[in-house]
Amino acid sequence: MYPDLAGKVAVVTGGSKGLGNAIVHRFAEEGMSVVINYNTDMNGAAQTVYEIEKLGGHAIAIKGGVETEEGNQALLDAALENFGGLDIWVSNAGFETQNHTHEVSLDEWNRQIAVNLTGPFLGAKAALNYWLPNNKPGNIINMSSIHELIPWPTYAAYTTSKGGLSMFNKTLAMEYAESNIRVNAIGPGAMDTPINAKRFEDSSVRQETESMIPMQKIGDPYDVADAAAWLASNQSKYVTGQTLFVDGGITLYEAFDGGKG
Ligand code: NAD
């Protein structure tokens, strides 16, 4: 637990399920007020608000696409109107599709760039335009991936969006460091969330993935939520422009284990 987080206000995009939902719950456990953005999963968002309020916490669910300026502005407005401010902005929403690159349609490409990369840009822009004129400190956490580093054939749009997000984070961190605004990313490895549910239904695929992870297991969404809470808190006050990989060691290049290569 991080005592400085109590009473802080956060926006979490894609907060109705998966990693975003774990972050919402973790933030609420810290005593934070949370604006939960969802795109289609109204039940997941409403259920989460219900669970948080039952425990005496504060949350509100707001529908909207993160790929639009209005969608992000609505989240900022909801934070200000309902909770009186904004301290932490988490751009978590994202998705991936698999296809050989020569068969990826322009629309499929554009949608992933729009949600995974333009979304965090628009979220950061909305938050910065509140923090800067009000002279407030700020904290942005963007959900990247191990694939900001590791190429992944047949997922070119996804890897490109996360690679771009990595440079966006670093640029923003440098640009606003003097304004007391920190910008970091989390780079999850393979986590147990709906995005992977179909893939891991096949136990041989699950085992193959686990064999690529030094810690030999798929990650729990709460592992990512713990990292988000630390980045949100003052415990990380001297950290900016970084990607915190939460990946069981997958970015350590398992293929070289035992001196191979
Ligand atoms: P998920 O599919 O469970 O959740 C993604 C969320 O994003 C969903 O709630 C979805 O509705 C939302 N979303 C999608 N498009 C949206 C839009 N246009 N506007 C608003 N919300 C939208 O997936 P997850 O595993 O929880 O992934 C969350 C983030 O973590 C993504 O950015 C993903 O790329 C990243 N990530 C996940 C893993 C993993 O193994 N699960 C690994 C690395 C990175």
Side-chain angles (χ1 to χ4, degrees), residues 13-21 37-41 64-67 91-96 111 114-116 143-147 158 162 165 186-196 199-200 218:
T13 70
S16 64
K17 56 175 178 259
L19 302 182
N21 195 251
N37 156 256
Y38 70 96
N39 192 28
T40 51
D41 181 18
V66 296
E67 65 276 37
S91 278
N92 160 79
F95 76 103
E96 67 199 29
R111 280 192 299 117
V115 175
N116 300 357
M143 196 58 71
S144 185
S145 163
I146 54 169
H147 295 296
Y158 183 75
K162 299 298 188 183
L165 185 57
I186 298 173
M191 315 300 293
D192 247 329
T193 69
I195 213 174
N196 287 323
R199 182 181 292 138
F200 293 154
I218 306 297

mmCIF file of all heavy atoms in Angstrom, residues 13-21 37-41 64-67 91-96 111 114-116 143-147 158 162 165 186-196 199-200 218, ligand 1:
data_model
loop_
_atom_site.group_PDB
_atom_site.id
_atom_site.type_symbol
_atom_site.label_atom_id
_atom_site.label_comp_id
_atom_site.label_asym_id
_atom_site.label_seq_id
_atom_site.Cartn_x
_atom_site.Cartn_y
_atom_site.Cartn_z
ATOM 1 N N THR A 13 -8.141 3.825 -18.958
ATOM 2 C CA THR A 13 -8.872 3.453 -20.173
ATOM 3 C C THR A 13 -8.881 1.934 -20.326
ATOM 4 O O THR A 13 -7.966 1.242 -19.873
ATOM 5 C CB THR A 13 -8.267 4.114 -21.439
ATOM 6 O OG1 THR A 13 -6.990 3.520 -21.727
ATOM 7 C CG2 THR A 13 -8.127 5.612 -21.259
ATOM 8 N N GLY A 14 -9.929 1.436 -20.961
ATOM 9 C CA GLY A 14 -10.077 -0.016 -21.094
ATOM 10 C C GLY A 14 -10.118 -0.671 -19.728
ATOM 11 O O GLY A 14 -9.495 -1.707 -19.507
ATOM 12 N N GLY A 15 -10.894 -0.094 -18.813
ATOM 13 C CA GLY A 15 -10.852 -0.528 -17.411
ATOM 14 C C GLY A 15 -11.891 -1.563 -17.025
ATOM 15 O O GLY A 15 -11.989 -1.926 -15.863
ATOM 16 N N SER A 16 -12.679 -2.028 -17.992
ATOM 17 C CA SER A 16 -13.770 -2.942 -17.629
ATOM 18 C C SER A 16 -13.314 -4.384 -17.508
ATOM 19 O O SER A 16 -14.009 -5.213 -16.938
ATOM 20 C CB SER A 16 -14.895 -2.852 -18.662
ATOM 21 O OG SER A 16 -14.416 -3.297 -19.923
ATOM 22 N N LYS A 17 -12.175 -4.711 -18.083
ATOM 23 C CA LYS A 17 -11.682 -6.098 -17.979
ATOM 24 C C LYS A 17 -10.154 -6.131 -18.112
ATOM 25 O O LYS A 17 -9.527 -5.102 -18.336
ATOM 26 C CB LYS A 17 -12.335 -6.980 -19.045
ATOM 27 C CG LYS A 17 -12.160 -6.500 -20.477
ATOM 28 C CD LYS A 17 -12.760 -7.557 -21.416
ATOM 29 C CE LYS A 17 -12.669 -7.143 -22.862
ATOM 30 N NZ LYS A 17 -13.895 -6.626 -23.423
ATOM 31 N N GLY A 18 -9.610 -7.322 -17.948
ATOM 32 C CA GLY A 18 -8.183 -7.526 -18.182
ATOM 33 C C GLY A 18 -7.286 -6.694 -17.277
ATOM 34 O O GLY A 18 -7.593 -6.453 -16.105
ATOM 35 N N LEU A 19 -6.168 -6.249 -17.820
ATOM 36 C CA LEU A 19 -5.170 -5.525 -17.025
ATOM 37 C C LEU A 19 -5.742 -4.221 -16.482
ATOM 38 O O LEU A 19 -5.480 -3.841 -15.342
ATOM 39 C CB LEU A 19 -3.927 -5.233 -17.881
ATOM 40 C CG LEU A 19 -3.218 -6.457 -18.485
ATOM 41 C CD1 LEU A 19 -1.982 -6.028 -19.267
ATOM 42 C CD2 LEU A 19 -2.840 -7.458 -17.396
ATOM 43 N N GLY A 20 -6.515 -3.522 -17.323
ATOM 44 C CA GLY A 20 -7.106 -2.249 -16.896
ATOM 45 C C GLY A 20 -7.995 -2.447 -15.681
ATOM 46 O O GLY A 20 -7.976 -1.652 -14.737
ATOM 47 N N ASN A 21 -8.752 -3.528 -15.687
ATOM 48 C CA ASN A 21 -9.653 -3.812 -14.576
ATOM 49 C C ASN A 21 -8.877 -4.121 -13.299
ATOM 50 O O ASN A 21 -9.258 -3.681 -12.204
ATOM 51 C CB ASN A 21 -10.579 -4.976 -14.950
ATOM 52 C CG ASN A 21 -11.758 -5.071 -14.015
ATOM 53 O OD1 ASN A 21 -11.851 -5.988 -13.203
ATOM 54 N ND2 ASN A 21 -12.657 -4.110 -14.095
ATOM 55 N N ASN A 37 -12.914 3.951 -17.997
ATOM 56 C CA ASN A 37 -13.373 4.025 -19.390
ATOM 57 C C ASN A 37 -13.627 2.604 -19.903
ATOM 58 O O ASN A 37 -12.867 1.678 -19.608
ATOM 59 C CB ASN A 37 -12.301 4.702 -20.252
ATOM 60 C CG ASN A 37 -12.422 4.314 -21.725
ATOM 61 O OD1 ASN A 37 -11.627 3.511 -22.217
ATOM 62 N ND2 ASN A 37 -13.404 4.844 -22.403
ATOM 63 N N TYR A 38 -14.717 2.453 -20.656
ATOM 64 C CA TYR A 38 -14.953 1.187 -21.359
ATOM 65 C C TYR A 38 -15.434 1.499 -22.760
ATOM 66 O O TYR A 38 -15.951 2.584 -23.030
ATOM 67 C CB TYR A 38 -15.963 0.300 -20.605
ATOM 68 C CG TYR A 38 -17.376 0.834 -20.622
ATOM 69 C CD1 TYR A 38 -18.295 0.373 -21.566
ATOM 70 C CD2 TYR A 38 -17.795 1.827 -19.733
ATOM 71 C CE1 TYR A 38 -19.588 0.863 -21.603
ATOM 72 C CE2 TYR A 38 -19.088 2.318 -19.768
ATOM 73 C CZ TYR A 38 -19.976 1.841 -20.701
ATOM 74 O OH TYR A 38 -21.254 2.347 -20.746
ATOM 75 N N ASN A 39 -15.264 0.509 -23.627
ATOM 76 C CA ASN A 39 -15.654 0.712 -25.019
ATOM 77 C C ASN A 39 -16.964 0.003 -25.321
ATOM 78 O O ASN A 39 -17.930 0.617 -25.769
ATOM 79 C CB ASN A 39 -14.519 0.188 -25.918
ATOM 80 C CG ASN A 39 -14.689 0.609 -27.350
ATOM 81 O OD1 ASN A 39 -15.287 1.635 -27.629
ATOM 82 N ND2 ASN A 39 -14.156 -0.195 -28.257
ATOM 83 N N THR A 40 -17.022 -1.307 -25.022
ATOM 84 C CA THR A 40 -18.232 -2.082 -25.324
ATOM 85 C C THR A 40 -18.772 -2.825 -24.090
ATOM 86 O O THR A 40 -19.953 -3.120 -24.018
ATOM 87 C CB THR A 40 -17.927 -3.144 -26.411
ATOM 88 O OG1 THR A 40 -16.760 -3.872 -26.005
ATOM 89 C CG2 THR A 40 -17.661 -2.494 -27.762
ATOM 90 N N ASP A 41 -17.892 -3.107 -23.134
ATOM 91 C CA ASP A 41 -18.237 -3.994 -22.015
ATOM 92 C C ASP A 41 -18.902 -3.224 -20.870
ATOM 93 O O ASP A 41 -18.330 -3.049 -19.795
ATOM 94 C CB ASP A 41 -16.939 -4.680 -21.550
ATOM 95 C CG ASP A 41 -17.171 -5.650 -20.404
ATOM 96 O OD1 ASP A 41 -18.331 -6.063 -20.194
ATOM 97 O OD2 ASP A 41 -16.183 -5.980 -19.720
ATOM 98 N N GLY A 64 -16.680 5.184 -24.132
ATOM 99 C CA GLY A 64 -16.080 6.016 -25.178
ATOM 100 C C GLY A 64 -14.872 5.369 -25.817
ATOM 101 O O GLY A 64 -14.207 4.536 -25.211
ATOM 102 N N GLY A 65 -14.623 5.739 -27.046
ATOM 103 C CA GLY A 65 -13.454 5.237 -27.765
ATOM 104 C C GLY A 65 -12.249 6.130 -27.478
ATOM 105 O O GLY A 65 -12.348 7.357 -27.525
ATOM 106 N N VAL A 66 -11.112 5.494 -27.198
ATOM 107 C CA VAL A 66 -9.923 6.294 -26.865
ATOM 108 C C VAL A 66 -9.268 6.887 -28.102
ATOM 109 O O VAL A 66 -8.354 7.694 -27.998
ATOM 110 C CB VAL A 66 -8.872 5.465 -26.096
ATOM 111 C CG1 VAL A 66 -9.396 5.022 -24.756
ATOM 112 C CG2 VAL A 66 -8.394 4.274 -26.926
ATOM 113 N N GLU A 67 -9.750 6.477 -29.273
ATOM 114 C CA GLU A 67 -9.135 6.973 -30.507
ATOM 115 C C GLU A 67 -9.679 8.342 -30.914
ATOM 116 O O GLU A 67 -9.296 8.881 -31.943
ATOM 117 C CB GLU A 67 -9.290 5.949 -31.634
ATOM 118 C CG GLU A 67 -10.722 5.681 -32.090
ATOM 119 C CD GLU A 67 -11.446 4.645 -31.231
ATOM 120 O OE1 GLU A 67 -11.250 4.618 -29.997
ATOM 121 O OE2 GLU A 67 -12.250 3.886 -31.800
ATOM 122 N N SER A 91 -3.347 5.171 -19.815
ATOM 123 C CA SER A 91 -3.835 4.731 -21.123
ATOM 124 C C SER A 91 -3.497 3.258 -21.263
ATOM 125 O O SER A 91 -2.339 2.886 -21.513
ATOM 126 C CB SER A 91 -3.182 5.544 -22.259
ATOM 127 O OG SER A 91 -3.840 6.770 -22.421
ATOM 128 N N ASN A 92 -4.504 2.444 -21.054
ATOM 129 C CA ASN A 92 -4.313 0.985 -21.061
ATOM 130 C C ASN A 92 -4.989 0.316 -22.254
ATOM 131 O O ASN A 92 -4.545 -0.735 -22.703
ATOM 132 C CB ASN A 92 -4.868 0.418 -19.742
ATOM 133 C CG ASN A 92 -5.173 -1.059 -19.852
ATOM 134 O OD1 ASN A 92 -4.280 -1.902 -19.784
ATOM 135 N ND2 ASN A 92 -6.447 -1.406 -20.058
ATOM 136 N N ALA A 93 -6.055 0.906 -22.773
ATOM 137 C CA ALA A 93 -6.843 0.252 -23.832
ATOM 138 C C ALA A 93 -5.947 -0.124 -25.008
ATOM 139 O O ALA A 93 -5.072 0.649 -25.405
ATOM 140 C CB ALA A 93 -7.959 1.181 -24.292
ATOM 141 N N GLY A 94 -6.171 -1.296 -25.531
ATOM 142 C CA GLY A 94 -5.390 -1.713 -26.688
ATOM 143 C C GLY A 94 -5.863 -3.053 -27.192
ATOM 144 O O GLY A 94 -6.572 -3.779 -26.491
ATOM 145 N N PHE A 95 -5.513 -3.363 -28.414
ATOM 146 C CA PHE A 95 -5.860 -4.690 -28.954
ATOM 147 C C PHE A 95 -4.878 -5.063 -30.048
ATOM 148 O O PHE A 95 -4.089 -4.232 -30.508
ATOM 149 C CB PHE A 95 -7.316 -4.716 -29.454
ATOM 150 C CG PHE A 95 -7.522 -4.018 -30.770
ATOM 151 C CD1 PHE A 95 -7.669 -4.752 -31.951
ATOM 152 C CD2 PHE A 95 -7.545 -2.638 -30.851
ATOM 153 C CE1 PHE A 95 -7.854 -4.119 -33.168
ATOM 154 C CE2 PHE A 95 -7.725 -1.982 -32.065
ATOM 155 C CZ PHE A 95 -7.882 -2.732 -33.222
ATOM 156 N N GLU A 96 -4.947 -6.343 -30.420
ATOM 157 C CA GLU A 96 -4.033 -6.850 -31.456
ATOM 158 C C GLU A 96 -4.811 -7.748 -32.400
ATOM 159 O O GLU A 96 -5.785 -8.384 -31.985
ATOM 160 C CB GLU A 96 -2.893 -7.643 -30.802
ATOM 161 C CG GLU A 96 -3.379 -8.929 -30.159
ATOM 162 C CD GLU A 96 -2.434 -9.535 -29.133
ATOM 163 O OE1 GLU A 96 -1.680 -8.778 -28.488
ATOM 164 O OE2 GLU A 96 -2.476 -10.764 -28.976
ATOM 165 N N ARG A 111 -6.677 0.901 -37.391
ATOM 166 C CA ARG A 111 -7.423 0.770 -36.119
ATOM 167 C C ARG A 111 -6.476 0.497 -34.955
ATOM 168 O O ARG A 111 -6.648 1.037 -33.876
ATOM 169 C CB ARG A 111 -8.485 -0.341 -36.231
ATOM 170 C CG ARG A 111 -9.761 0.130 -36.959
ATOM 171 C CD ARG A 111 -10.901 -0.863 -36.820
ATOM 172 N NE ARG A 111 -10.564 -2.157 -37.395
ATOM 173 C CZ ARG A 111 -10.476 -3.299 -36.706
ATOM 174 N NH1 ARG A 111 -10.715 -3.317 -35.410
ATOM 175 N NH2 ARG A 111 -10.151 -4.432 -37.294
ATOM 176 N N ALA A 114 -4.584 3.599 -34.187
ATOM 177 C CA ALA A 114 -5.492 4.595 -33.592
ATOM 178 C C ALA A 114 -5.733 4.314 -32.110
ATOM 179 O O ALA A 114 -5.668 5.219 -31.277
ATOM 180 C CB ALA A 114 -6.819 4.616 -34.341
ATOM 181 N N VAL A 115 -6.008 3.063 -31.767
ATOM 182 C CA VAL A 115 -6.322 2.735 -30.361
ATOM 183 C C VAL A 115 -5.052 2.654 -29.525
ATOM 184 O O VAL A 115 -4.960 3.225 -28.432
ATOM 185 C CB VAL A 115 -7.122 1.410 -30.278
ATOM 186 C CG1 VAL A 115 -7.332 0.999 -28.821
ATOM 187 C CG2 VAL A 115 -8.460 1.557 -30.995
ATOM 188 N N ASN A 116 -4.028 1.961 -30.038
ATOM 189 C CA ASN A 116 -2.845 1.649 -29.210
ATOM 190 C C ASN A 116 -1.853 2.806 -29.122
ATOM 191 O O ASN A 116 -1.084 2.876 -28.172
ATOM 192 C CB ASN A 116 -2.105 0.429 -29.779
ATOM 193 C CG ASN A 116 -2.960 -0.826 -29.829
ATOM 194 O OD1 ASN A 116 -4.098 -0.815 -29.380
ATOM 195 N ND2 ASN A 116 -2.429 -1.881 -30.400
ATOM 196 N N MET A 143 0.229 1.767 -21.252
ATOM 197 C CA MET A 143 0.405 0.316 -21.302
ATOM 198 C C MET A 143 1.078 -0.068 -22.608
ATOM 199 O O MET A 143 0.471 -0.032 -23.671
ATOM 200 C CB MET A 143 -0.957 -0.389 -21.171
ATOM 201 C CG MET A 143 -0.821 -1.855 -20.840
ATOM 202 S SD MET A 143 0.098 -2.165 -19.314
ATOM 203 C CE MET A 143 -1.093 -1.580 -18.111
ATOM 204 N N SER A 144 2.338 -0.392 -22.477
ATOM 205 C CA SER A 144 3.069 -0.831 -23.656
ATOM 206 C C SER A 144 3.044 -2.356 -23.696
ATOM 207 O O SER A 144 2.016 -2.975 -23.400
ATOM 208 C CB SER A 144 4.490 -0.261 -23.618
ATOM 209 O OG SER A 144 5.171 -0.585 -24.794
ATOM 210 N N SER A 145 4.173 -2.971 -23.992
ATOM 211 C CA SER A 145 4.248 -4.421 -24.130
ATOM 212 C C SER A 145 5.712 -4.798 -24.272
ATOM 213 O O SER A 145 6.539 -3.960 -24.646
ATOM 214 C CB SER A 145 3.481 -4.840 -25.393
ATOM 215 O OG SER A 145 3.828 -6.149 -25.778
ATOM 216 N N ILE A 146 6.017 -6.072 -24.022
ATOM 217 C CA ILE A 146 7.371 -6.536 -24.358
ATOM 218 C C ILE A 146 7.634 -6.329 -25.844
ATOM 219 O O ILE A 146 8.769 -6.258 -26.274
ATOM 220 C CB ILE A 146 7.579 -8.021 -23.990
ATOM 221 C CG1 ILE A 146 6.497 -8.892 -24.635
ATOM 222 C CG2 ILE A 146 7.624 -8.207 -22.476
ATOM 223 C CD1 ILE A 146 6.770 -10.387 -24.555
ATOM 224 N N HIS A 147 6.541 -6.195 -26.629
ATOM 225 C CA HIS A 147 6.696 -6.027 -28.076
ATOM 226 C C HIS A 147 7.009 -4.591 -28.487
ATOM 227 O O HIS A 147 6.997 -4.272 -29.665
ATOM 228 C CB HIS A 147 5.489 -6.597 -28.811
ATOM 229 C CG HIS A 147 5.386 -8.080 -28.620
ATOM 230 N ND1 HIS A 147 6.339 -8.945 -29.093
ATOM 231 C CD2 HIS A 147 4.503 -8.835 -27.924
ATOM 232 C CE1 HIS A 147 6.039 -10.181 -28.731
ATOM 233 N NE2 HIS A 147 4.930 -10.139 -28.011
ATOM 234 N N TYR A 158 0.540 -4.219 -34.380
ATOM 235 C CA TYR A 158 0.616 -4.177 -32.907
ATOM 236 C C TYR A 158 2.022 -3.780 -32.451
ATOM 237 O O TYR A 158 2.191 -2.871 -31.639
ATOM 238 C CB TYR A 158 0.225 -5.544 -32.351
ATOM 239 C CG TYR A 158 0.204 -5.606 -30.840
ATOM 240 C CD1 TYR A 158 -0.831 -5.014 -30.122
ATOM 241 C CD2 TYR A 158 1.208 -6.264 -30.137
ATOM 242 C CE1 TYR A 158 -0.858 -5.078 -28.731
ATOM 243 C CE2 TYR A 158 1.179 -6.333 -28.750
ATOM 244 C CZ TYR A 158 0.146 -5.740 -28.051
ATOM 245 O OH TYR A 158 0.123 -5.798 -26.681
ATOM 246 N N LYS A 162 3.285 -0.355 -30.384
ATOM 247 C CA LYS A 162 3.956 -0.355 -29.076
ATOM 248 C C LYS A 162 5.369 0.218 -29.191
ATOM 249 O O LYS A 162 5.852 0.885 -28.269
ATOM 250 C CB LYS A 162 3.981 -1.771 -28.484
ATOM 251 C CG LYS A 162 2.598 -2.375 -28.225
ATOM 252 C CD LYS A 162 1.757 -1.593 -27.214
ATOM 253 C CE LYS A 162 0.471 -2.333 -26.852
ATOM 254 N NZ LYS A 162 -0.400 -1.562 -25.937
ATOM 255 N N LEU A 165 4.847 3.795 -29.204
ATOM 256 C CA LEU A 165 4.450 4.246 -27.866
ATOM 257 C C LEU A 165 5.676 4.422 -26.971
ATOM 258 O O LEU A 165 5.747 5.355 -26.164
ATOM 259 C CB LEU A 165 3.479 3.225 -27.259
ATOM 260 C CG LEU A 165 2.848 3.555 -25.917
ATOM 261 C CD1 LEU A 165 2.088 4.878 -25.968
ATOM 262 C CD2 LEU A 165 1.894 2.428 -25.488
ATOM 263 N N ILE A 186 4.347 0.563 -18.766
ATOM 264 C CA ILE A 186 4.498 -0.800 -18.271
ATOM 265 C C ILE A 186 4.559 -1.710 -19.493
ATOM 266 O O ILE A 186 3.775 -1.548 -20.440
ATOM 267 C CB ILE A 186 3.315 -1.199 -17.366
ATOM 268 C CG1 ILE A 186 3.276 -0.289 -16.132
ATOM 269 C CG2 ILE A 186 3.418 -2.663 -16.939
ATOM 270 C CD1 ILE A 186 2.049 -0.479 -15.252
ATOM 271 N N GLY A 187 5.485 -2.641 -19.481
ATOM 272 C CA GLY A 187 5.618 -3.591 -20.586
ATOM 273 C C GLY A 187 5.301 -5.000 -20.110
ATOM 274 O O GLY A 187 6.202 -5.729 -19.685
ATOM 275 N N PRO A 188 4.012 -5.385 -20.169
ATOM 276 C CA PRO A 188 3.678 -6.747 -19.733
ATOM 277 C C PRO A 188 4.210 -7.782 -20.727
ATOM 278 O O PRO A 188 4.352 -7.506 -21.923
ATOM 279 C CB PRO A 188 2.148 -6.761 -19.737
ATOM 280 C CG PRO A 188 1.724 -5.333 -19.863
ATOM 281 C CD PRO A 188 2.825 -4.632 -20.583
ATOM 282 N N GLY A 189 4.466 -8.974 -20.182
ATOM 283 C CA GLY A 189 4.762 -10.118 -21.046
ATOM 284 C C GLY A 189 3.457 -10.806 -21.389
ATOM 285 O O GLY A 189 2.496 -10.150 -21.778
ATOM 286 N N ALA A 190 3.407 -12.116 -21.219
ATOM 287 C CA ALA A 190 2.172 -12.857 -21.505
ATOM 288 C C ALA A 190 1.356 -12.959 -20.222
ATOM 289 O O ALA A 190 1.793 -13.572 -19.254
ATOM 290 C CB ALA A 190 2.520 -14.245 -22.027
ATOM 291 N N MET A 191 0.184 -12.338 -20.234
ATOM 292 C CA MET A 191 -0.632 -12.273 -19.021
ATOM 293 C C MET A 191 -1.969 -12.995 -19.245
ATOM 294 O O MET A 191 -2.471 -13.053 -20.375
ATOM 295 C CB MET A 191 -0.935 -10.806 -18.645
ATOM 296 C CG MET A 191 0.240 -9.857 -18.726
ATOM 297 S SD MET A 191 1.632 -10.262 -17.663
ATOM 298 C CE MET A 191 0.942 -9.996 -16.061
ATOM 299 N N ASP A 192 -2.541 -13.463 -18.162
ATOM 300 C CA ASP A 192 -3.839 -14.133 -18.217
ATOM 301 C C ASP A 192 -4.969 -13.114 -18.286
ATOM 302 O O ASP A 192 -5.493 -12.693 -17.248
ATOM 303 C CB ASP A 192 -4.017 -14.993 -16.953
ATOM 304 C CG ASP A 192 -4.028 -16.455 -17.302
ATOM 305 O OD1 ASP A 192 -4.474 -16.791 -18.414
ATOM 306 O OD2 ASP A 192 -3.575 -17.260 -16.471
ATOM 307 N N THR A 193 -5.335 -12.679 -19.481
ATOM 308 C CA THR A 193 -6.444 -11.727 -19.654
ATOM 309 C C THR A 193 -7.264 -12.160 -20.867
ATOM 310 O O THR A 193 -6.825 -13.015 -21.644
ATOM 311 C CB THR A 193 -5.927 -10.295 -19.897
ATOM 312 O OG1 THR A 193 -5.310 -10.259 -21.190
ATOM 313 C CG2 THR A 193 -4.948 -9.836 -18.843
ATOM 314 N N PRO A 194 -8.448 -11.533 -21.051
ATOM 315 C CA PRO A 194 -9.286 -11.930 -22.194
ATOM 316 C C PRO A 194 -8.577 -11.833 -23.554
ATOM 317 O O PRO A 194 -8.886 -12.601 -24.464
ATOM 318 C CB PRO A 194 -10.446 -10.917 -22.121
ATOM 319 C CG PRO A 194 -10.550 -10.579 -20.678
ATOM 320 C CD PRO A 194 -9.143 -10.586 -20.159
ATOM 321 N N ILE A 195 -7.598 -10.918 -23.677
ATOM 322 C CA ILE A 195 -6.908 -10.757 -24.971
ATOM 323 C C ILE A 195 -6.228 -12.082 -25.362
ATOM 324 O O ILE A 195 -6.072 -12.382 -26.555
ATOM 325 C CB ILE A 195 -5.871 -9.599 -24.879
ATOM 326 C CG1 ILE A 195 -5.705 -8.833 -26.193
ATOM 327 C CG2 ILE A 195 -4.515 -10.076 -24.449
ATOM 328 C CD1 ILE A 195 -4.782 -7.596 -26.082
ATOM 329 N N ASN A 196 -5.837 -12.876 -24.347
ATOM 330 C CA ASN A 196 -5.113 -14.129 -24.594
ATOM 331 C C ASN A 196 -5.980 -15.372 -24.382
ATOM 332 O O ASN A 196 -5.490 -16.490 -24.537
ATOM 333 C CB ASN A 196 -3.904 -14.233 -23.650
ATOM 334 C CG ASN A 196 -2.795 -13.294 -24.055
ATOM 335 O OD1 ASN A 196 -2.549 -13.087 -25.233
ATOM 336 N ND2 ASN A 196 -2.113 -12.716 -23.072
ATOM 337 N N ARG A 199 -6.142 -17.878 -27.261
ATOM 338 C CA ARG A 199 -4.815 -18.451 -27.525
ATOM 339 C C ARG A 199 -4.476 -19.517 -26.473
ATOM 340 O O ARG A 199 -4.011 -20.597 -26.797
ATOM 341 C CB ARG A 199 -3.796 -17.305 -27.487
ATOM 342 C CG ARG A 199 -2.385 -17.694 -27.790
ATOM 343 C CD ARG A 199 -1.451 -16.489 -27.699
ATOM 344 N NE ARG A 199 -1.658 -15.498 -28.729
ATOM 345 C CZ ARG A 199 -1.661 -14.173 -28.516
ATOM 346 N NH1 ARG A 199 -1.471 -13.690 -27.318
ATOM 347 N NH2 ARG A 199 -1.837 -13.354 -29.508
ATOM 348 N N PHE A 200 -4.750 -19.208 -25.201
ATOM 349 C CA PHE A 200 -4.337 -20.120 -24.125
ATOM 350 C C PHE A 200 -5.353 -21.231 -23.844
ATOM 351 O O PHE A 200 -5.121 -22.086 -22.988
ATOM 352 C CB PHE A 200 -4.029 -19.335 -22.839
ATOM 353 C CG PHE A 200 -2.812 -18.453 -22.958
ATOM 354 C CD1 PHE A 200 -2.679 -17.314 -22.177
ATOM 355 C CD2 PHE A 200 -1.787 -18.747 -23.857
ATOM 356 C CE1 PHE A 200 -1.566 -16.484 -22.283
ATOM 357 C CE2 PHE A 200 -0.674 -17.933 -23.978
ATOM 358 C CZ PHE A 200 -0.563 -16.794 -23.189
ATOM 359 N N ILE A 218 2.680 -17.913 -16.937
ATOM 360 C CA ILE A 218 1.950 -16.752 -17.458
ATOM 361 C C ILE A 218 1.686 -15.804 -16.297
ATOM 362 O O ILE A 218 1.437 -16.245 -15.174
ATOM 363 C CB ILE A 218 0.599 -17.214 -18.078
ATOM 364 C CG1 ILE A 218 0.815 -18.319 -19.125
ATOM 365 C CG2 ILE A 218 -0.170 -16.034 -18.653
ATOM 366 C CD1 ILE A 218 1.607 -17.947 -20.321
HETATM 367 P P1 NAD B 1 -8.227 -6.981 -22.883
HETATM 368 O O1 NAD B 1 -8.705 -7.320 -24.246
HETATM 369 O O2 NAD B 1 -8.626 -7.819 -21.748
HETATM 370 O O3 NAD B 1 -8.585 -5.486 -22.532
HETATM 371 C C1 NAD B 1 -8.376 -4.443 -23.427
HETATM 372 C C2 NAD B 1 -9.353 -3.367 -23.120
HETATM 373 O O4 NAD B 1 -9.216 -2.301 -24.059
HETATM 374 C C3 NAD B 1 -10.788 -3.865 -23.217
HETATM 375 O O5 NAD B 1 -11.499 -3.418 -22.095
HETATM 376 C C4 NAD B 1 -11.299 -3.198 -24.480
HETATM 377 O O6 NAD B 1 -12.681 -2.948 -24.479
HETATM 378 C C5 NAD B 1 -10.505 -1.908 -24.447
HETATM 379 N N1 NAD B 1 -10.532 -1.232 -25.734
HETATM 380 C C6 NAD B 1 -10.253 -1.736 -26.954
HETATM 381 N N2 NAD B 1 -10.452 -0.804 -27.898
HETATM 382 C C7 NAD B 1 -10.855 0.312 -27.253
HETATM 383 C C8 NAD B 1 -11.207 1.619 -27.666
HETATM 384 N N3 NAD B 1 -11.218 1.948 -28.954
HETATM 385 N N4 NAD B 1 -11.565 2.515 -26.720
HETATM 386 C C9 NAD B 1 -11.594 2.180 -25.419
HETATM 387 N N5 NAD B 1 -11.273 0.973 -24.981
HETATM 388 C C10 NAD B 1 -10.915 0.043 -25.879
HETATM 389 O O7 NAD B 1 -6.639 -6.920 -22.982
HETATM 390 P P2 NAD B 1 -5.539 -6.757 -21.868
HETATM 391 O O8 NAD B 1 -4.686 -7.936 -21.929
HETATM 392 O O9 NAD B 1 -6.114 -6.350 -20.590
HETATM 393 O O10 NAD B 1 -4.713 -5.560 -22.528
HETATM 394 C C11 NAD B 1 -4.632 -4.280 -21.944
HETATM 395 C C12 NAD B 1 -3.404 -3.590 -22.508
HETATM 396 O O11 NAD B 1 -2.240 -4.352 -22.170
HETATM 397 C C13 NAD B 1 -3.400 -3.461 -24.024
HETATM 398 O O12 NAD B 1 -2.852 -2.211 -24.379
HETATM 399 C C14 NAD B 1 -2.473 -4.585 -24.460
HETATM 400 O O13 NAD B 1 -1.838 -4.316 -25.691
HETATM 401 C C15 NAD B 1 -1.481 -4.596 -23.317
HETATM 402 N N6 NAD B 1 -0.752 -5.851 -23.162
HETATM 403 C C16 NAD B 1 -1.397 -6.998 -22.789
HETATM 404 C C17 NAD B 1 -0.657 -8.155 -22.656
HETATM 405 C C18 NAD B 1 -1.286 -9.454 -22.230
HETATM 406 O O14 NAD B 1 -0.615 -10.500 -22.295
HETATM 407 N N7 NAD B 1 -2.526 -9.490 -21.792
HETATM 408 C C19 NAD B 1 0.708 -8.163 -22.901
HETATM 409 C C20 NAD B 1 1.322 -6.987 -23.290
HETATM 410 C C21 NAD B 1 0.579 -5.835 -23.401
#
